[in-house]
Amino acid sequence: NAGVMQNPRHLVRRRGQEARLRCSPMKGHSHVYWYRQLPEEGLKFMVYLQKENIIDESGMPKERFSAEFPKEGPSILRIQQVVRGDSAAYFCASSPQAVAGVGETQYFGPGTRLLVL
Amino acid sequence: AQTVTQSQPEMSVQEAETVTLSCTYDTSENNYYLFWYKQPPSRQMILVIRQEAYKQQNATENRFSVNFQKAAKSFSLKISDSQLGDTAMYFCAFMKHSDNYGQNFVFGPGTRLSVLP
């Protein structure tokens, strides 16, 4: 069973361009979480999605950032008109169907390192 | 809102010795889960150990054990017989319990551990 896949692993963009980060969860996992890690900091929650639904986007910046998890295909984190402050590592994690009473362990992908020039 | 604090930005330990990493958290929840994740230079997030708040017994995984003090909201990680491969960033994380949906992690800022030969 392949782990969580993220691509690209490294992405370089110039200010004003768009960045698209992809995440394929583990097989059988229907919950996807995106986290951002700024240099020398811990991971910060951005958004939580199930198939075709955004469950919690309380950590997403109000502008330029969006996320989706379509019925078919990977989850996409999209950053429009990138700025230097968007440079960070973006991690995706997935978990299986939530089971009541259990703190589901999330399985992390290797991350995408975004560099904005 | 929950917060997680790790008061030791950096620590070092001699190979084969024991080291304890501190973590405190703030929450009004009664039912939750606590985790320690390791992030080596590869940046991959690796689960080290987890603890259910309703369990009084401290979790143990081989050389890794925790000291969970619920009243004090403290969750320290003890690494015994430290190995060079333990060199990494260590993140303490909190997750609320939910009966319905998955929950995101709240991470601390991390402790950089160096194991010295």
Side-chain angles (χ1 to χ4, degrees):
Chain A
N1 189 5
V4 178
M5 311 283 283
Q6 287 188 251
N7 67 80
R9 295 290 304 275
H10 300 273
L11 182 61
V12 179
R13 285 288 179 267
R14 296 194 179 279
R15 282 179 295 171
Q17 291 183 320
E18 178 180 285
R20 281 188 179 232
L21 287 61
R22 295 175 187 78
C23 169
S24 296
M26 287 180 70
K27 188 176 181 180
H29 287 194
S30 58
H31 298 232
V32 166
Y33 305 78
W34 286 94
Y35 295 85
R36 177 165 65 175
Q37 185 178 30
L38 295 171
E40 303 302 318
E41 293 188 14
L43 281 71
K44 296 286 195 314
F45 167 71
M46 299 181 75
V47 61
Y48 162 37
L49 310 104
Q50 291 183 29
K51 284 284 188 182
E52 300 184 278
N53 288 306
I54 295 175
I55 306 301
D56 180 357
E57 56 183 346
S58 58
M60 286 278 269
K62 293 289 185 280
E63 297 177 348
R64 302 188 297 106
F65 285 72
S66 62
E68 62 177 8
F69 188 16
K71 187 176 180 181
E72 302 290 338
S75 176
I76 307 285
L77 179 67
R78 182 183 179 206
I79 311 172
Q80 294 178 290
Q81 299 176 320
V82 296
V83 301
R84 288 212 173 119
D86 297 332
S87 295
Y90 292 83
F91 288 89
C92 166
S94 74
S95 67
Q97 186 74 27
V99 177
V102 177
E104 283 293 341
T105 297
Q106 295 173 16
Y107 297 84
F108 282 86
T112 293
R113 281 138 194 85
L114 172 65
L115 175 62
V116 179
L117 301 177
Chain B
Q2 290 75 34
T3 58
V4 177
T5 302
Q6 293 177 251
S7 59
Q8 305 150 314
E10 294 188 23
M11 293 193 72
S12 62
V13 62
Q14 291 293 137
E15 196 175 4
E17 293 190 347
T18 295
V19 64
T20 298
L21 309 184
S22 301
C23 173
T24 58
Y25 58 95
D26 188 23
T27 184
S28 58
E29 302 286 331
N30 188 52
N31 203 359
Y32 50 87
Y33 309 88
L34 295 163
F35 302 79
W36 278 97
Y37 273 86
K38 166 185 176 180
Q39 188 179 46
S42 67
R43 305 291 293 272
Q44 179 72 48
M45 293 291 286
I46 301 167
L47 176 66
V48 175
I49 199 165
R50 66 175 257 170
Q51 173 83 40
E52 291 85 353
Y54 62 84
K55 288 186 178 178
Q56 291 190 345
Q57 186 174 4
N58 289 323
T60 299
E61 284 288 338
N62 300 315
R63 298 184 294 108
F64 299 88
S65 61
V66 298
N67 183 4
F68 174 47
Q69 303 288 329
K70 191 172 184 179
K73 295 180 182 174
S74 171
F75 183 61
S76 61
L77 174 70
K78 186 171 85 170
I79 306 175
S80 304
D81 186 26
S82 297
Q83 300 176 1
L84 296 178
D86 295 334
T87 293
M89 283 289 288
Y90 286 81
F91 293 100
C92 179
F94 172 100
M95 179 188 285
K96 284 194 306 184
H97 170 82
S98 170
D99 285 334
N100 298 309
Y101 290 109
Q103 293 291 318
N104 59 281
F105 286 115
V106 176
F107 284 94
T111 295
R112 185 179 302 280
L113 176 67
S114 299
V115 179
L116 307 174

